[in-house]
């Protein structure tokens, strides 16, 4: 995916003024990305508080809490691809500024929500803004760094995700201990203001100089297909079943629409994305690895919050602090992953990374209510180390496969597979967790009033809520709930580890090894030029 040494691309393609401030620009991009990552991780520790009756929370039900998270995911995933295309066409800086502004407005409105319905609506608006932020940050990065520095910059960019994972729960826990629940959204507003000013001053604009004709049908098909697919995934997780007609209809519909999108793109003279890139084994393996690792990891992240807070009894802040080893490993190793790849090759590094993630996930199958804290920290560190050696190499593989002018499209592909994989992980593994838990806890609900029995079997939080209302008579139910959840967690963890092992097999089979680090460039697609023959540097 690198250009040949004989190609004229050795000539600097980034204007000198931009090149001199490239690291400052990267800092601004990381700051922008941090806002999006931070918001999701903050919300994960606040769900219990938001579910509380007013004035502590807004009395959101389990379903409403899920949709407060899922409305963001649905809009975000559905618009990612379109946002990348718009950035390539009208300018990535414009798209980035607009996305951050919309995200900030949505955050302020979410903080002032007086009902779960309002919160769900404003979370969807935040997802709309975030969809334009995430692909634009990576696309701008590809246009301010020369090719030889891109792996290092992408590693640092990926490390900022680890920073968000760490700061989010800790910040959320601290805010919830001292302020009302809306502060977890309001804190985004000053951060957005600083980001907007820094972007306006430092970040250069860039776009595809020859974008070709608009592909409106492709854009519509991509949005409709992704929204239907993600909605079906979310609905399946909500019902803990993928056989219900309300799950199968959008899932099948989404897959059919996306199949139509692929056929349309293959036949179009002005496609939104050149589908032939997926014929490259390394490119397809990279995007598959992104989807699989986030499928496995997001599912575990979902249930680990309940394990730490509901079973172990840690506060939101304490739970956030326990995630620090995972975040620290990503921040330390992700920027250095390129050095390991240079020595051993992407195939070996990503395979070992996937195996580390699988080992960390499988370790959850050994956890119980008394597992020492140092063991938890060690497992999180192993997971973070594995992630740090997967995401930078596969992101580099995806981004360097496409011409720089199509960086927005490449970033959108990268983030779409990541988001869909993560949503699928939460839905599928969440369904497994819910099904196993319900099966185990039902035999312990004999003493629960009939009216509350169905609710008590929904989740560990629901069971504990009913047990608390029973007073001293509910203590045996609390113990049974903890045991049932741990048993369900063991099954789910093994399923997650199996998915990570599939990812290891994919990258071991198809990613390039050390000797294959300089393959031929991808032939030009319709309306494109290979990076090796692109015009020299653009000048301000």
């Amino acid at each position: 995916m690198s250009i040949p040494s004989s190609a004229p691309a050795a000539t600097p393609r980034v204007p000198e003024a931009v090149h001199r401030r490239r690291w400052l620009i990267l800092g601004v991009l990381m700051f922008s990305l941090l806002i999006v990552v931070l918001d999701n991780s903050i919300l994960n520790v606040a769900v219990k508080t938001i579910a509380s009756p007013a004035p502590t929370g807004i009395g959101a039900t389990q379903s409403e809490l899920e949709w407060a998270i899922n409305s963001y995911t649905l809009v975000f995933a559905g618009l990612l691809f379109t946002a990348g295309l718009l950035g390539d066409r009208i300018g990535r800086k414009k798209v980035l500024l607009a996305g951050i502004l919309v995200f900030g407005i949505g955050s302020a409105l979410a903080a002032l929500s007086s009902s779960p319905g309002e919160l769900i609506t404003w979370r969807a608006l935040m997802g709309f803004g975030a969809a334009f932020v995430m692909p634009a940050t990576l696309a701008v990065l590809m246009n301010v760094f020369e090719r030889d520095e891109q792996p290092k910059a992408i590693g640092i960019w990926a490390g900022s995700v680890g920073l968000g994972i760490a700061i989010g729960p800790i910040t959320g826990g601290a805010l919830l201990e001292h302020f009302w629940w809306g502060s977890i959204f309001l804190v985004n507003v000053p951060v957005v203001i600083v980001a907007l000013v820094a972007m306006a001053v430092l970040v250069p604009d860039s776009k595809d100089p020859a974008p070709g004709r608009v592909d409106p049908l492709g854009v519509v098909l991509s949005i409709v297909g992704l929204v239907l697919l993600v909605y079906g995934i979310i609905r399946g997780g909500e019902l803990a079943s993928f056989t219900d007609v309300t799950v199968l209809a959008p899932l099948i519909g989404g897959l059919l629409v996306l199949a139509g999108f692929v056929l349309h793109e293959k036949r179009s003279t002005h496609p939104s994305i050149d589908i032939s890139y997926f014929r490259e084994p390394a490119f397809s393996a990279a995007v598959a690895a992104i989807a699989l690792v986030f499928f496995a990891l997001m599912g575990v992240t979902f249930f680990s919050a309940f394990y730490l807070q509901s079973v172990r009894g840690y506060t939101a802040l304490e739970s956030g602090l326990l995630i620090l080893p995972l975040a620290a490993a990503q921040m330390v190793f992700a920027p250095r992953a390129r050095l390991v790849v240079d020595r051993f090759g992407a195939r070996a590094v990503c395979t070992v990374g996937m195996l580390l993630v699988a080992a960390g996930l499988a370790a959850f199958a050994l956890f119980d209510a008394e597992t020492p804290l140092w063991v938890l920290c060690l497992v999180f560190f192993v997971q973070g180390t594995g992630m740090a050696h997967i995401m930078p190499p596969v992101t580099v593989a995806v981004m360097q496969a496409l011409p720089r002018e199509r960086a927005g499209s490449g970033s959108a592909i990268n983030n779409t597979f990541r988001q869909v994989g993560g949503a699928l992980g939460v839905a599928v593994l969440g369904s497994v967790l819910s099904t196993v838990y319900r099966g185990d806890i039902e035999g312990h609900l004999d003493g629960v009033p009939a009216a509350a029995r169905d609710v008590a079997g929904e989740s560990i939080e629901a069971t504990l809520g009913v047990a608390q209302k029973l007073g001293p008579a509910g203590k045996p139910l609390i113990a049974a709930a903890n045991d049932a959840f741990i048993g369900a967690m063991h099954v789910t963890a093994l399923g997650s580890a199996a998915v990570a092992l599939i990812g290891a097999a994919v990258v071991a089979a198809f990613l390039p090894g050390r000797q294959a680090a300089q393959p031929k460039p991808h032939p030009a697609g319709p309306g494109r030029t290979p990076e090796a023959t692109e015009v020299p540097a653009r000048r301000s």
Side-chain angles (χ1 to χ4, degrees), residues 176-236:
L176 291 173
E177 285 192 3
H178 297 93
F179 304 100
W180 98 113
W181 68 268
S183 62
I184 66 169
F185 298 115
L186 199 61
V187 73
N188 292 334
V189 176
V191 180
V192 163
I193 293 171
V194 173
L196 285 171
V197 173
M199 278 181 225
V201 174
L202 291 171
V203 176
D205 204 359
S206 62
K207 62 181 180 179
D208 188 341
R213 291 163 54 194
V214 180
D215 179 24
L217 180 58
V219 169
V220 171
L221 288 174
S222 70
I223 294 174
V224 172
L226 285 169
V227 167
L228 284 174
L229 178 64
V230 175
Y231 175 80
I233 291 169
I234 290 170
R235 182 65 176 160

Side-chain angles (χ1 to χ4, degrees), residues 190-366:
V191 180
V192 163
I193 293 171
V194 173
L196 285 171
V197 173
M199 278 181 225
V201 174
L202 291 171
V203 176
D205 204 359
S206 62
K207 62 181 180 179
D208 188 341
R213 291 163 54 194
V214 180
D215 179 24
L217 180 58
V219 169
V220 171
L221 288 174
S222 70
I223 294 174
V224 172
L226 285 169
V227 167
L228 284 174
L229 178 64
V230 175
Y231 175 80
I233 291 169
I234 290 170
R235 182 65 176 160
E238 194 176 25
L239 297 178
S241 169
F242 283 82
T243 58
D244 189 275
V245 67
T246 61
V247 177
L248 288 175
L251 276 179
I252 294 172
L255 290 173
L256 289 174
V257 172
L258 289 176
F261 169 74
V262 171
L263 290 174
H264 169 73
E265 295 299 293
K266 289 174 70 175
R267 296 175 181 176
S268 176
T269 57
H270 50 285
S272 299
I273 180 65
D274 188 352
I275 299 298
S276 64
Y277 281 104
F278 286 91
R279 295 174 187 162
E280 295 283 349
F283 182 86
S284 294
V287 294
I290 291 168
L292 288 169
V293 75
F294 273 88
F295 178 100
L297 200 68
M298 289 302 291
V300 170
T301 302
F302 176 75
F303 70 64
S304 64
F306 290 101
Y307 169 70
L308 292 172
Q309 294 185 47
S310 300
V311 177
R312 301 300 298 266
Y314 295 117
T315 65
L317 179 57
E318 289 168 341
S319 298
L321 291 170
L322 286 171
I323 303 295
L324 271 177
L326 185 147
Q330 288 200 53
M331 288 187 288
V332 170
F333 293 117
R336 295 168 174 80
R338 76 190 192 285
L339 303 176
V340 189
V341 171
D342 288 343
R343 181 168 182 179
F344 299 104
R347 179 189 302 162
V349 172
C350 289
T351 301
V352 172
M354 278 286 192
L355 292 174
L356 286 175
V357 170
L361 297 173
F364 274 87
L366 304 175

Side-chain angles (χ1 to χ4, degrees), residues 29 33 76-77 79-88 92 95-96 130-143 154 157-158 161 206 226 272-273 277-278 283 286-287 290 294 391 394-420:
L29 297 177
L33 178 65
F76 182 66
L79 291 177
L80 270 173
F81 186 73
T82 301
L85 295 177
L86 282 175
D88 286 344
R92 289 137 195 157
V95 165
L96 188 55
F132 288 83
V133 173
M134 186 167 275
T137 59
L138 190 52
V140 170
L141 180 155
M142 298 299 290
N143 280 271
I154 288 173
W157 177 89
V161 174
S206 62
L226 285 169
S272 299
I273 180 65
Y277 281 104
F278 286 91
F283 182 86
V287 294
I290 291 168
F294 273 88
M391 296 315 299
V394 296
T395 303
V396 169
V398 172
M399 296 305 297
Q400 290 195 342
L402 275 69
R404 190 190 296 242
E405 281 68 22
R406 294 282 176 149
S409 300
S411 180
I413 291 171
N414 177 79
N415 287 298
T416 298
F417 273 83
R418 168 179 169 167
Q419 195 67 23
V420 171

Side-chain angles (χ1 to χ4, degrees), residues 51 110 126 157 210 300 324 331 336 371 392 436 454 464 476 480 511 530 539:
M126 292 170 69
W157 177 89
V300 170
L324 271 177
M331 288 187 288
R336 295 168 174 80
T371 300
V436 177
D454 284 343
L464 293 178
L511 279 188
R539 299 297 174 189

